[in-house]
Amino acid sequence: MPLNLTRRRALAGALPLSLAARPALAWNAANDDTTLAEAIDAYVKKAMAAWPDQPALGIAVVKDGAAVLTRGYGVKVQGKPAVADEHTLFAIASNTKNVTAAALAILVDEGKVKWDAPIKTYLPDFRLVDPYIADHITVRDTLSHRAGFGLGAGDLLFWPNSDRTRAEVLAQAAFVPIEDGFRARYHYCNLMFVVAGAVIEAVSGQTWEDFIQTRILDRVGMSETVPLARLADPAKSALPHGRVGPPLRYQGAMTPIADSIVEVWNWDSAAAAGGICTTPADWAKWIAVRLNEGRLPDGTRLFSEESAREMYRPNIIVGSSPGPTAELPNRSIASTYALGLQVQDYRGERLISHGGGSPGGISATVLIPGRKVGFSIFSNAEESFLLRALRSGIADLCLGKVDVDWIADSKRLEAEGNAKSIAAAAEIDAKQAAGAPPSMPLDAYAGTWRDPWYGDIVIAPKTRGRGRDRKPGLWLTFTHTPALQGWLEPYDGETFRTRFPDKREEDAFVTFDIQTAKPATATMKGVSPDIDFSYDYQDLRLTRI
């Protein structure tokens, strides 16, 4: 199961833009809330039966301002009896982004922030590798994925779990490469949401988590939600699960990968991009606020109607197509990104959505304002095609246009993807077996290698094996990322590959450039074709120091 599919779709929130129509299913739309809830409940159970090793799901459905379904399914930990319910905590990762946008909307309403003011208005020392962009990038730009960074640029500053503080991440942003024109195209970028969080802190005088807690969660009544994963009680949480091989990550048997959410998802330093953990019961309250354009149940406002509409206004095109046809009834003409939310047309409706992907969990939120209906899906496993089937299937149930068997189609795509991944893994291993030896002794590649934005990666001589099996080897360490350390093996000539003992992490190729008597520079890229985009190894430019 390729997680790059998971996070590109889950984080962007896009429903499929195209798919051939399937024979109509039996259910027909009704306005009755109970009928809708029963239909969605039955569909979720059918989907879980199709993915029998999915441990837990959480579902929240809101219609006309009220929750019609909040429920947990399955178990919190595979093989253990504790069941998930509507009060079970899930990591929602980048669904946090629309909460960060709402926090800024509150400050806009108070006259303390302007959407189109330069970031330097609030963070005078802010720097980027391109001085023009640093001077002109606005609050709106940071929430719209249009700064010019590549997909996932800078994510290694906090993914996997890093020892860096928010201030250190913000400082290192000045050195992260920018690959595209300013406002030219959409590129998903967590790093700029860290900047948006820093604006909230600078203007409010509170930490991001304190502002979210006191100005949003407390007012909405989301008493079960926590703004940081380290605050999520493991006993109340759906714990992370994934497939760690063989042959590659996202293949093999489903297994628990952590005893708490924070063990694999400590985003304190990037909380504004993905820190929140919530429950189906609590997130239903948030969906209701978004559908009601910022109005709370007591009639007061969390943010103004004007700000609510501004957060839905598209700022950059994500993708486009010729639109729906008889064969492709659900294909969108345009998918766009607004402020922390994706906006697209879907079967004649405006659909607003976002997704979230963390190690061991994925999620999605979908709002259909014209129908006053919205829903969210939380998962404690990395089953991207299950999320696809649920997201699209529930959206169609809400619209009463059920003419596609999303479960069957997603199972088909999953099988095709798995076959390609297994074939790719075999090819990778075969190339290593046939690869040329390195041109120099292993010790020549050892040293401290520095990247301008990540920092230091250390390659040290280390003996492998015991007794007669002892032989020289190399050990690679990412100095700010405890999980990324392991053996560095010859692969082919001047290209080596990592073997991280922590199988939850993705391995990388390291290619050295010998300019003098020994290697002077090196580049990296992921080994697996299914690698999550947040392992942005390809952006590293290493120089021996």
Side-chain angles (χ1 to χ4, degrees):
M1 182 214 60
L3 191 62
N4 61 343
L5 169 66
T6 298
R7 297 193 84 232
R8 283 190 174 94
R9 288 188 177 172
L11 292 176
L15 292 167
L17 291 173
S18 64
L19 181 68
R22 301 289 190 271
L25 303 183
W27 189 78
N28 191 17
N31 292 324
D32 179 73
D33 293 352
T34 300
T35 302
L36 177 61
E38 289 175 349
I40 292 173
D41 179 65
Y43 184 80
V44 173
K45 291 174 180 175
K46 182 179 178 182
M48 286 197 77
W51 279 269
D53 50 0
Q54 170 68 34
L57 291 173
I59 303 292
V61 183
V62 175
K63 188 172 183 289
D64 297 323
V68 299
L69 178 67
T70 55
R71 182 169 177 180
Y73 300 79
V75 293
K76 297 176 183 177
V77 183
Q78 184 185 64
K80 295 187 178 181
V83 298
D85 61 23
E86 68 271 27
H87 304 296
T88 297
L89 283 163
F90 291 81
I92 67 167
S94 284
N95 279 287
T96 301
K97 288 180 169 64
N98 77 85
V99 181
T100 292
L104 283 161
I106 292 170
L107 294 170
V108 168
D109 289 340
E110 294 175 350
K112 297 176 181 177
V113 170
K114 294 181 179 179
W115 294 120
D116 295 307
I119 289 297
K120 283 193 173 183
T121 306
Y122 314 107
L123 304 174
D125 296 329
F126 180 67
R127 300 287 185 271
L128 293 174
V129 71
D130 186 322
Y132 177 86
I133 298 177
D135 288 343
H136 291 84
I137 188 171
T138 65
V139 174
R140 183 186 303 277
D141 294 321
T142 66
L143 301 177
S144 303
H145 304 301
R146 64 182 195 179
F149 291 95
L151 174 65
D155 280 3
L156 278 173
L157 293 171
F158 38 81
W159 166 299
N161 289 355
S162 169
D163 65 3
R164 281 192 168 92
T165 65
R166 287 176 199 171
E168 290 169 341
V169 170
L170 198 63
Q172 291 308 111
F175 306 102
V176 175
I178 295 175
E179 71 173 38
D180 204 351
F182 184 40
R183 300 174 184 160
R185 275 166 289 276
Y186 169 90
H187 301 281
Y188 196 88
C189 183
N190 289 301
L191 186 60
M192 288 300 98
F193 274 80
V194 177
V195 175
V199 170
I200 293 169
E201 295 186 334
V203 171
S204 70
Q206 294 180 278
T207 64
W208 175 87
E209 59 268 27
D210 285 347
F211 189 95
I212 298 302
Q213 184 68 58
T214 59
R215 301 296 305 276
I216 294 181
L217 301 182
D218 290 348
R219 289 204 64 202
V220 178
M222 298 171 69
S223 59
E224 299 173 340
T225 301
V226 295
L228 302 174
R230 62 178 164 84
L231 302 176
D233 183 350
K236 298 178 181 178
S237 303
L239 299 185
H241 293 69
R243 303 179 188 276
V244 297
L248 293 172
R249 184 71 167 87
Y250 317 118
Q251 295 292 326
M254 180 69 71
T255 183
I257 61 172
D259 294 325
S260 66
I261 292 173
V262 71
E263 181 184 331
V264 291
W265 188 248
N266 184 357
W267 266 32
D268 277 16
S269 61
I276 290 175
C277 297
T278 193
T279 69
D282 253 15
W283 197 249
K285 300 172 186 177
W286 181 246
I287 293 173
V289 171
R290 296 311 306 249
L291 288 172
N292 208 21
E293 296 187 320
R295 191 179 299 278
L296 298 170
D298 64 4
T300 62
R301 281 197 164 274
L302 187 66
F303 45 80
S304 67
E305 183 177 352
E306 180 182 359
S307 285
R309 293 177 177 175
E310 190 67 24
M311 285 187 280
Y312 287 173
R313 186 165 72 87
N315 293 314
I316 191 81
I317 295 173
V318 176
S320 63
S321 81
T325 65
E327 293 75 25
L328 306 171
N330 57 348
R331 188 168 67 172
S332 297
I333 296 171
S335 174
T336 69
Y337 202 88
L339 296 175
L341 288 164
Q342 187 160 328
V343 182
Q344 68 183 90
D345 62 292
Y346 184 84
R347 294 183 177 273
E349 301 278 349
R350 182 176 60 157
L351 186 143
I352 298 166
S353 62
H354 213 284
S358 63
I362 50 179
S363 58
T365 296
V366 175
L367 309 175
I368 309 173
R371 300 293 183 104
K372 296 183 179 180
V373 65
F375 63 89
S376 196
I377 305 154
F378 306 125
S379 168
N380 66 335
E382 301 160 345
E383 296 286 58
S384 64
F385 292 99
L386 169 59
L387 182 74
R388 177 183 184 269
L390 289 169
R391 190 170 52 192
S392 300
I394 295 173
D396 283 358
L397 285 169
C398 291
L399 294 174
K401 298 180 179 180
V402 186
D403 53 3
V404 177
D405 187 344
W406 292 107
I407 293 174
D409 194 76
S410 294
K411 292 297 290 187
R412 175 184 63 82
L413 291 175
E414 180 181 59
E416 292 174 357
N418 285 342
K420 291 178 181 178
S421 296
I422 291 169
E427 184 178 352
I428 291 166
D429 289 343
K431 284 185 176 180
Q432 183 168 10
S439 64
M440 307 187 76
L442 292 184
D443 284 2
Y445 302 90
T448 298
W449 298 80
R450 180 164 296 168
D451 174 80
W453 63 269
Y454 175 82
D456 292 351
I457 295 172
V458 176
I459 301 174
K462 189 174 181 179
T463 301
R464 302 189 69 166
R466 295 181 178 180
R468 295 181 178 179
D469 294 329
R470 286 169 61 89
K471 59 182 180 180
L474 295 173
W475 186 265
L476 179 145
T477 301
F478 279 71
T479 56
H480 292 284
T481 315
L484 296 183
Q485 56 177 308
W487 294 109
L488 188 64
E489 300 177 348
Y491 185 78
D492 185 16
E494 304 313 315
T495 296
F496 291 64
R497 67 156 293 172
T498 64
R499 292 281 185 182
F500 295 129
D502 190 337
K503 297 303 181 185
R504 299 172 299 188
E505 307 303 344
E506 287 279 13
D507 285 309
F509 291 121
V510 184
T511 300
F512 296 93
D513 182 16
I514 301 174
Q515 297 176 357
T516 54
K518 58 182 179 179
T521 62
T523 57
M524 299 183 69
K525 69 175 184 178
V527 169
S528 171
D530 296 335
I531 191 169
D532 187 286
F533 67 73
S534 281
Y535 293 94
D536 51 325
Y537 298 132
Q538 70 280 354
D539 289 335
L540 298 173
R541 299 294 181 268
L542 300 168
T543 302
R544 186 197 295 271
I545 62 171

